[in-house]
Amino acid sequence: MSQNVTQNTPQTVKKERAAFLVAEDRLTDENIADELSITRRTLARWKLEKGFQARVVEIKEETRRALVARGIVEKQNRLDALNDRWERMRQVIAQRADNLKGVPGGGNTGLLVRQVKGIGKGEDFQVVEEYAVDTGLLREMREHEKQAAQELGEWSERHEHTGKDGADLFRNITVRIVDSNGDSDE
């Protein structure tokens, strides 16, 4: 009884590794050949073979599926998740605006949150209701917007320009104006 077994000869192992490196597309053909201790000509010959080409396509597709399965690794998935949460926060604001439209001082903005507090002691204890701006929600929305801008490469940090002593670099600039008569003002 014979079995159809694929042999892992050094040549087939090198060819498989070459397919991975070609699919990865980080190294030049010359670097791939050097890494595998083969000639550039051998790699070029393999790249012309239909089976090798099919394996490269298969590796690329496997890699893509693995990344998509990992979800958050894919930039577009992260952006979609950020946008989904941002839209949900906007829905909370819209529903609050509708529910609190009669509350003076901004109830119709949807940015207020109702808080219940207990004040006093003993017989003087009472529960009071107050409304405050939901700074936590606003902060989270700003962070989502910042992260989305960073993902898209549209965010840069501001940096202050200082001299050697830490002083403002532009504070000590002296301007000298010379008029056509040779008189100057500083």
Side-chain angles (χ1 to χ4, degrees), residues 55-67:
R55 182 65 182 131
V56 169
V57 169
E58 183 181 356
I59 291 167
K60 285 181 179 181
E61 182 57 26
E62 287 171 2
T63 303
R64 189 197 67 75
R65 279 194 307 268
L67 286 174

Side-chain angles (χ1 to χ4, degrees), residues 77-95 111 136-149:
N77 291 349
R78 290 191 305 272
L79 288 169
D80 290 345
L82 280 168
N83 191 59
D84 179 61
R85 286 190 303 271
W86 189 77
E87 286 295 334
R88 290 172 190 254
M89 287 185 273
R90 288 180 48 102
Q91 286 177 354
V92 168
I93 290 171
Q95 288 175 0
L111 299 177
L137 179 62
L138 290 173
R139 185 179 316 108
E140 192 60 34
M141 288 186 79
R142 275 194 318 270
E143 285 299 315
H144 271 64
E145 291 159 4
K146 177 181 176 181
Q147 185 176 349

Side-chain angles (χ1 to χ4, degrees), residues 39-57:
T39 65
R40 167 90 172 68
R41 190 172 172 176
T42 297
L43 179 61
R45 192 177 65 249
W46 288 350
K47 288 174 77 173
L48 293 174
E49 295 174 7
K50 297 274 189 219
F52 186 87
Q53 293 170 359
R55 182 65 182 131
V56 169
V57 169

Side-chain angles (χ1 to χ4, degrees), residues 8 11 19 25 38 41 46 54 59 91 101 108 112-114 121 128 133 145 150 163 182:
N8 283 333
Q11 190 71 358
D25 199 26
I38 60 173
R41 190 172 172 176
W46 288 350
I59 291 167
Q91 286 177 354
K101 61 185 165 202
N108 62 345
L112 297 184
V113 63
R114 180 178 163 259
K121 292 183 183 178
V128 294
V133 174
E145 291 159 4
Q150 287 171 330

